[in-house]
Amino acid sequence: MNASERQTMEASAVTTQPEGTFPTGTGPEIAGPSPRHRTVGVTVGTGEGAVTVGGGAPIVVQSMTNTDTADIDGTVAQVAQLARAGSELVRITVDRDEAAAAVPKIRERLDRIGVHVPLVGDFHYIGHKLLSDHPACAEALAKYRINPGNVGFKEKKDVQFSTIIEQAIRYGKTVRIGANWGSLDEALLTHLMDENAKLPRPIDARAVMREAMVQSALTSAERAVELGLPKDRIILSAKVSAVQDLIAVYREVARRSDYAIHLGLTEAGMGSKGLVAASAAIGVLLQEGIGDTIRYSLTPEPGGDRTVEVKASQELLQTMGFRTFVPLVAACPGCGRTTSTTFQELARDIQNWIVTSMPEWKKRYPGVEGLNVAVMGCIVNGPGESKHADIGISLPGTGETPTAPVFIDGKKAMTLRGATLAKDFETVVIEYIERRFGSGARSAAE
């Protein structure tokens, strides 16, 4: 029997489910991710801006500035922009004395304008010196990020690492121990490569590098605990730039520990490539229950909008059902039945209107971020998709009657026509929001 015949027999042996009946014992009844990996909760920051990472808390969105931290005005402006876009932690580079001296002034200015987002200091090479020489910087930061691959070399490594941990203990700060593929601990990697070479059947060199990543993060965390930093002040990351390697590394980190986990694909890249790569890697891990905070490491266009990485994180979490940030707008992709651009323009306008309105809506309409809106382009899927949304509109396709039925809570509520259709639909949406999330709805619930 050849392979083709075997496949045919196997296919014919598959039992089909009788129409109109439910299968039994074939899979989960509820579609969803695996249970969250249990990690120790870590509180970052104090007061109004404090955030909990891990311990079952909602997955936290974070980002990083690309300003020169010594430029106080520029850094304050970008941190505020990222925080207002929804970043719950913002990391800033602390690479020299001028940057370290600027940190407390940045913190003070942000607090003055009502932006209380915790600041994370990103340290490489001389973090031990900067924290020791600038105690106001050490105090102003909510968290320190250490890279075990460049915190120090040879005999200096343990001393310099210990100095940073001691500063974190002194000031009551959280530490992220962030191993990175691009700056891996050379001594550790060399040792593991040598040990691998002695094996009767050495494993692939790339697998050795992944193991070095895992060990670098975990042994550094263990050393921090030995020095007196409790587990509830430690977050781990182990970032690489290749999707499959990243998934493999984080699976191992989660399997071997219960530290809170920061997810991110390092050097994800620009444009759609960066978005797709980061979403693929982070999405798989989140689906497996791994990850307590995420960051999209996207390369922005020159002068581009830094908040794109925040929006991408939010959209991934909301699309996968982990959190809600803004009402979702479902829209069909268009085809030959939708040669008019009306539905595309309406979908764009509704999306922009929602984003622009959200700061005010959040104050007036608690829970509105869970709203689902559908803007569909023709009769094929339009009515059905609109019924699945809280409120939806099915626009006419090419050659269809120029009317647009509106569905509210799964039922046809009205039909819109004419040149003011877009504005009329906005009015219907805001009336629905007021009725469902406004003061009248709250009074009725009470």
Side-chain angles (χ1 to χ4, degrees):
M1 182 185 298
N2 61 33
S4 177
E5 290 170 333
R6 188 182 304 110
Q7 289 175 344
T8 301
M9 286 188 63
E10 289 172 352
S12 65
V14 174
T15 303
T16 57
Q17 185 68 28
E19 185 176 354
T21 64
F22 287 102
T24 57
T26 58
E29 295 181 6
I30 299 174
S34 299
R36 285 277 294 279
H37 169 60
R38 291 187 179 182
T39 58
V40 176
V42 177
T43 299
V44 183
T46 58
E48 190 176 336
V51 175
T52 299
V53 177
I59 298 164
V60 172
V61 171
Q62 63 177 278
S63 59
M64 185 174 183
T65 61
N66 62 354
T67 58
D68 178 356
T69 305
D71 173 6
I72 296 172
D73 291 343
T75 302
V76 167
Q78 192 172 89
V79 170
Q81 183 185 36
L82 291 166
R84 287 166 179 157
S87 185
E88 294 158 306
L89 295 171
V90 178
R91 183 159 41 119
I92 59 177
T93 299
V94 187
D95 58 345
R96 62 194 196 280
D97 288 310
E98 292 82 359
V103 169
K105 298 173 184 176
I106 291 168
R107 177 74 275 166
E108 182 183 355
R109 289 265 298 275
L110 288 167
D111 288 338
R112 201 184 308 154
I113 61 174
V115 176
H116 303 294
V117 64
L119 296 178
V120 181
D122 195 59
F123 294 99
H124 298 274
Y125 304 107
I126 58 170
H128 64 290
K129 185 177 186 303
L130 293 173
L131 288 169
S132 299
D133 292 350
H134 298 273
C137 169
E139 179 65 38
L141 293 169
K143 184 172 77 169
Y144 310 153
R145 184 277 172 114
I146 308 174
N147 183 340
N150 61 32
V151 70
F153 302 98
K154 297 183 179 178
E155 66 278 357
K156 293 182 180 179
K157 178 177 180 179
D158 192 57
V159 172
Q160 294 175 188
F161 179 84
S162 299
T163 299
I164 297 177
I165 298 301
E166 287 163 4
Q167 295 292 329
I169 294 169
R170 178 177 302 159
Y171 294 105
K173 305 301 180 180
T174 298
V175 171
R176 171 162 72 94
I177 296 172
N180 194 290
W181 191 264
S183 51
L184 191 51
D185 184 329
E186 292 183 8
L188 174 61
L189 179 59
T190 299
H191 171 72
L192 291 178
M193 286 290 189
D194 290 343
E195 291 298 307
N196 183 54
K198 297 174 185 176
L199 297 175
R201 298 180 63 183
I203 63 174
D204 180 73
R206 202 171 182 93
V208 178
M209 292 183 72
R210 291 195 296 268
E211 177 61 21
M213 286 284 293
V214 175
Q215 287 194 26
S216 179
L218 293 180
T219 56
S220 296
E222 290 164 7
R223 178 61 181 145
V225 171
E226 289 173 3
L227 291 167
L229 189 67
K231 291 183 78 171
D232 64 2
R233 296 235 295 275
I234 299 173
I235 298 171
L236 297 187
S237 66
K239 297 187 181 182
V240 303
S241 57
V243 170
Q244 295 297 343
D245 288 308
L246 186 93
I247 293 169
V249 165
Y250 272 108
R251 281 173 176 164
E252 277 301 294
V253 170
R255 187 179 71 83
R256 300 187 202 179
S257 77
D258 60 355
Y259 292 103
I261 292 177
H262 166 124
L263 294 183
L265 183 78
T266 192
E267 289 98 35
M270 296 183 73
S272 60
K273 183 268 179 188
L275 286 166
V276 170
S279 297
I282 297 172
V284 167
L285 290 164
L286 291 177
Q287 186 68 12
E288 294 181 5
I290 299 169
D292 301 300
T293 178
I294 67 172
R295 189 227 165 177
Y296 270 63
S297 299
L298 302 177
T299 305
E301 297 288 343
D305 184 359
R306 192 69 173 177
T307 64
V308 169
E309 65 178 57
V310 178
K311 296 168 187 172
S313 294
Q314 291 181 327
E315 287 172 5
L316 178 70
L317 292 175
Q318 183 154 346
T319 299
M320 294 187 71
F322 291 105
R323 294 185 65 180
T324 54
F325 298 96
V326 296
L328 284 176
V329 178
C332 67
C335 66
R337 295 184 180 86
T338 56
T339 52
S340 165
T341 61
T342 302
F343 92 93
Q344 295 166 322
E345 292 166 359
L346 181 58
R348 178 201 62 202
D349 292 347
I350 290 294
Q351 182 75 66
N352 291 341
W353 173 60
I354 286 174
V355 170
T356 303
S357 303
M358 273 307 292
E360 179 61 28
W361 285 0
K362 281 185 176 180
K363 298 174 186 175
R364 295 180 57 189
Y365 307 117
V368 71
E369 60 271 13
L371 179 70
N372 286 310
V373 181
V375 180
M376 304 302 291
C378 77
I379 199 172
V380 175
N381 292 320
E385 191 67 44
S386 297
K387 288 177 183 177
H388 289 306
D390 295 313
I391 181 166
I393 186 169
S394 179
L395 296 163
T398 304
E400 295 176 13
T401 304
T403 59
V406 174
F407 296 83
I408 298 177
D409 294 330
K411 297 179 181 179
K412 184 178 176 181
M414 65 193 73
T415 299
L416 301 179
R417 299 178 176 83
T420 62
L421 187 149
K423 226 29 179 174
D424 293 342
F425 185 61
E426 283 188 12
T427 300
V428 173
V429 171
I430 197 64
E431 288 175 351
Y432 177 84
I433 289 172
E434 178 63 45
R435 188 166 63 251
R436 179 174 169 185
F437 302 102
S439 55
R442 292 194 294 276
S443 298
E446 294 168 359

